Amino acid sequence: MLTDEMKMQRKTMCAELLKHYEEEGEEFIQQIVTGDESWVHPYDPESKRQSMEYRHKSSPPRKFKVVASSRKVMLTIFWDSGGIVHIEFLKQRNTVYSEPYISMLRKLSVRLRRLRPTKHAILHHNNTRQHTSRQTE
């Protein structure tokens, strides 16, 4: 539940973002990098044995049933106005805390510098604990 202080902070931040957009227009939008996480099922389209089978080039394509893996993994994705910038999967049986998030931000930073060396990035991410801890500031 949002406190009155949190609502005021959101209102202030939205006003600041709107002001930047009014002053800078499309250039401001192109600076924004958005991130989000989701739990996903990894898929194993074929068994290891099936993938090792020898098939002749003229053989008809194999049809197989896609089966969801029994475990979920955390997918984190970052994108900007041009498309996907960085994707990362958290290793199974790991929990999300500040250290992996900081490592992910470093990788994102390197990727952004390579993709667009002259532009600054404004990171837009939700305010879960690992995103707002003192270590990530």
Side-chain angles (χ1 to χ4, degrees):
M1 182 155 188
L2 293 177
T3 65
D4 287 340
E5 182 182 344
M6 292 167 74
K7 289 177 187 176
M8 192 56 144
Q9 286 175 342
R10 284 188 179 191
K11 184 178 176 183
T12 302
M13 182 55 71
C14 289
E16 285 181 35
L17 293 172
L18 185 57
K19 180 183 170 193
H20 281 289
Y21 176 68
E22 289 169 349
E23 292 172 358
E24 301 170 38
E26 197 61 32
E27 279 186 40
F28 175 71
I29 297 296
Q30 291 175 359
Q31 293 177 35
I32 298 173
V33 176
T34 304
D36 202 5
E37 303 91 9
S38 184
W39 288 101
V40 296
H41 286 281
Y43 283 89
D44 301 320
E46 61 185 9
S47 69
K48 195 170 188 176
R49 175 173 261 196
Q50 287 172 318
S51 68
M52 292 173 32
E53 288 177 6
Y54 175 78
R55 292 183 339 119
H56 191 272
K57 289 180 184 177
S58 62
S59 300
R62 251 188 320 210
K63 292 186 179 182
F64 49 85
K65 183 178 176 183
V66 176
V67 180
S69 171
S70 61
R71 294 193 188 269
K72 291 182 183 179
V73 294
M74 175 68 76
L75 163 69
T76 303
I77 184 168
F78 294 92
W79 67 93
D80 64 9
S81 62
I84 295 172
V85 176
H86 183 70
I87 296 176
E88 195 159 322
F89 292 92
L90 188 66
K91 294 177 183 171
Q92 286 184 355
R93 298 190 186 108
N94 271 2
T95 56
V96 180
Y97 60 97
S98 295
E99 291 302 321
Y101 184 66
I102 291 168
S103 171
M104 190 180 323
L105 289 178
R106 286 186 179 125
K107 292 175 192 173
L108 174 63
S109 178
V110 169
R111 178 91 172 127
L112 286 171
R113 272 189 249 125
R114 193 173 30 179
L115 288 175
R116 48 188 202 176
T118 60
K119 290 185 185 176
H120 288 33
I122 299 169
L123 181 61
H124 176 255
H125 215 183
N126 57 15
N127 59 349
T128 59
R129 287 179 193 234
Q130 68 274 14
H131 304 163
T132 59
S133 77
R134 290 207 182 273
Q135 290 177 295
T136 59
E137 290 179 354

